[in-house]
Amino acid sequence: MSFVNPLHLQWQFARKLYSEWIGENPQLEEVLKGVDTPTLVIRKSKLLKKFEEVKTHFEGFNVYYAVKANDDPSVIESFAKAGAGFEVASSSELQKVFKFGVSPDRVISSNPVKPLEFIDFCLSGGVDRFAVDSFTEIDKIARFKKRARVYVRLAVPNVGSDWPLSRKFGVDTDTAVEILQYANHKGLIPYGITFHVGSQCNNLQNWFVAIKRAKEVWEKALQRGIKLQMLNIGGGIPARYTRQSLSVKEIATYVRGLLNKYFGIKTLELQMEPGRGLVAEAGVMVTSVIGKARRFKGEKWIYIDSGVFHGLAEALGGIRYSFYLPQREGEELEFFTVGGISCDSMDVVAEKVALPKGVEVGDRILILTAGAYTTVYASSFNGFPPPRVVTVL
């Protein structure tokens, strides 16, 4: 049996992601060398290519980009021009979407708990579709508009998702039916069902359980005289960070098979809300090495001018990025721990990262698959500013 060197395996995957990002445009190498650090560089062509891939394989679905994944104006504008819909959770996000001429019928809000002023702002702008998972939320929406459309969020398994979302939101099937019935009683329109299998989901079983539960709610609601119109399968499409993930085609084929089995309704309105899956691989975070040291038991550390408080917060929750230094390709590799720029001891970006042994202060390290949940999480903690954003074709 051949031995697989984990250092080389990690480095080779990072090289693969880098090569695919550069593609047929070697001039992008100069862009990465020339920007100030830290900077998130986004390729619009990759955004649009992924959007078309999702539209092709999820034919018949209305695709609503989850703005929370990356709210940079260039990203929103790119998807707006491509005809995407948008999922928003705040007045600020909705304002950014409206700025690019997006009509209200292309916008939904799937945050189950919304500030009153946001509900009012949405309805004033013509956006009237809201996710709910409590009776209280029904009461809040009914204050403003009796015929607003609501869709109930189910609690479903998030097993195998790198960023689980099942505890904070969602209800069981019986409670979901009760909420829909209550919405009807309050003069709202029981519109449909939604769920979320967890961000960065690589477990097809989650979609199986979710769609099966959705069908149960659909049938129970119908028995009570409530005819629903829409099924929203949320997000969950994974990106490639340090390994291959389920492809859009694999997930779409599986989901469409389940829908044919459990629903089979041609008039069913289908929705989805990809965020990470659309933008993650389009972004590269360009950072610089600002320090190098040996710590406990000879552990080797490098420090970069970004960190968990400045764009890489998902590292705290288990997301692991690929790191690459094209200028040091071919050098001997070692494992390093990567620390962030702040003086907080929590600011550790990753451990056991394969990097060239000779990495030094001033070297540029590229963090791949950094287009999602980076700049939106970034703060100015310790006085260090968030990463800049540069968009290229």
Side-chain angles (χ1 to χ4, degrees):
M1 184 173 67
S2 60
F3 172 73
V4 178
N5 187 320
L7 282 163
H8 293 164
L9 192 65
Q10 190 183 131
W11 184 257
Q12 287 167 6
F13 194 80
R15 183 199 301 133
K16 171 184 170 69
L17 292 177
Y18 171 75
S19 298
E20 290 181 2
W21 191 87
I22 293 293
E24 302 300 320
N25 189 354
Q27 293 180 349
L28 291 176
E29 295 180 353
E30 297 305 313
V31 172
L32 297 178
K33 292 176 183 177
V35 296
D36 293 331
T37 63
T39 292
L40 176 64
V41 183
I42 299 172
R43 285 203 69 177
K44 289 201 293 186
S45 59
K46 284 200 167 291
L47 295 176
L48 298 177
K49 182 179 179 181
K50 183 61 72 169
F51 177 67
E52 288 304 317
E53 182 183 1
V54 170
K55 287 288 292 182
T56 297
H57 292 297
F58 282 93
E59 183 181 1
F61 279 74
N62 292 321
V63 180
Y64 297 87
Y65 168 60
V67 176
K68 63 181 177 289
N70 188 320
D71 65 357
D72 189 78
S74 64
V75 173
I76 295 174
E77 182 180 24
S78 295
F79 287 136
K81 288 182 177 179
F86 295 87
E87 189 281 315
V88 301
S90 67
S91 298
S92 176
E93 288 184 347
L94 183 54
Q95 286 174 329
K96 290 180 180 181
V97 169
F98 278 166
K99 180 180 177 181
F100 294 104
V102 176
S103 59
D105 63 314
R106 288 167 60 187
V107 182
I108 60 174
S109 179
S110 289
N111 185 352
V113 182
K114 296 163 283 295
L116 287 171
E117 59 270 23
F118 171 59
I119 298 172
D120 189 22
F121 185 74
C122 282
L123 292 170
S124 298
V127 176
D128 70 346
R129 290 177 290 175
F130 304 100
V132 296
D133 67 354
S134 70
F135 299 98
T136 301
E137 205 68 11
I138 297 297
D139 290 334
K140 286 162 57 180
I141 297 170
R143 294 188 194 185
F144 298 100
K145 185 175 181 179
K146 292 299 183 183
R147 302 306 288 166
R149 292 172 285 178
V150 296
Y151 45 107
V152 67
R153 177 158 169 172
L154 286 175
V156 300
N158 281 193
V159 179
S161 298
D162 289 351
W163 201 268
L165 301 166
S166 59
R167 181 169 173 262
K168 186 177 180 181
F169 300 118
V171 293
D172 60 76
T173 55
D174 288 335
T175 304
V177 176
E178 295 293 336
I179 289 173
L180 290 168
Q181 191 169 32
Y182 184 65
N184 194 44
H185 171 72
K186 296 290 287 188
L188 303 180
I189 299 174
Y191 176 48
I193 303 166
T194 189
F195 56 77
H196 203 303
V197 295
S199 191
Q200 190 65 11
C201 182
N202 275 291
N203 181 13
L204 291 173
Q205 182 73 10
N206 288 351
W207 279 284
F208 169 73
V209 175
I211 291 174
K212 191 174 180 180
R213 288 183 185 176
K215 175 61 172 177
E216 182 181 340
V217 172
W218 194 282
E219 291 295 335
K220 288 182 177 180
L222 190 59
Q223 291 170 9
R224 299 194 188 191
I226 299 173
K227 187 175 181 180
L228 301 175
Q229 307 168 45
M230 182 276 295
L231 177 64
N232 182 320
I233 66 169
I237 293 176
R240 295 172 301 161
Y241 285 97
T242 58
R243 59 187 174 88
Q244 289 297 126
S245 60
L246 286 173
S247 69
V248 171
K249 182 178 181 180
E250 288 171 326
I251 296 170
T253 300
Y254 187 74
V255 167
R256 294 182 70 85
L258 291 172
L259 292 174
N260 287 332
K261 176 179 179 180
Y262 288 105
F263 284 87
I265 304 173
K266 293 183 179 180
T267 57
L268 177 66
E269 180 186 346
L270 296 170
Q271 298 180 359
M272 63 188 302
E273 306 168 16
R276 183 192 306 278
L278 288 181
V279 297
E281 293 182 24
V284 172
M285 187 80 80
V286 187
T287 67
S288 292
V289 178
I290 60 171
K292 185 177 181 181
R294 283 183 179 268
R295 300 302 183 205
F296 183 67
K297 292 185 177 179
E299 186 179 52
K300 296 183 177 181
W301 284 64
I302 62 156
Y303 299 83
I304 60 175
D305 57 359
S306 185
V308 300
F309 304 111
H310 303 90
L312 302 171
E314 285 203 308
L316 295 173
I319 295 295
R320 185 175 173 86
Y321 297 95
S322 285
F323 299 77
Y324 189 61
L325 288 78
Q327 71 273 24
R328 289 190 176 273
E329 178 63 53
E331 295 185 13
E332 184 180 352
L333 301 171
E334 286 189 333
F335 281 129
F336 286 82
T337 296
V338 179
I341 192 172
S342 78
C343 64
D344 196 301
S345 60
M346 285 182 60
D347 195 0
V348 178
V349 178
E351 298 180 4
K352 289 191 177 300
V353 176
L355 294 173
K357 186 176 182 179
V359 60
E360 292 292 347
V361 170
D363 281 347
R364 291 194 165 211
I365 293 185
L366 306 180
I367 303 177
L368 290 309
T369 313
Y373 300 107
T374 46
T375 51
V376 288
Y377 275 150
S379 72
S380 296
F381 175 64
N382 242 176
F384 299 109
R388 305 164 188 82
V389 178
V390 171
T391 306
V392 296
L393 292 177

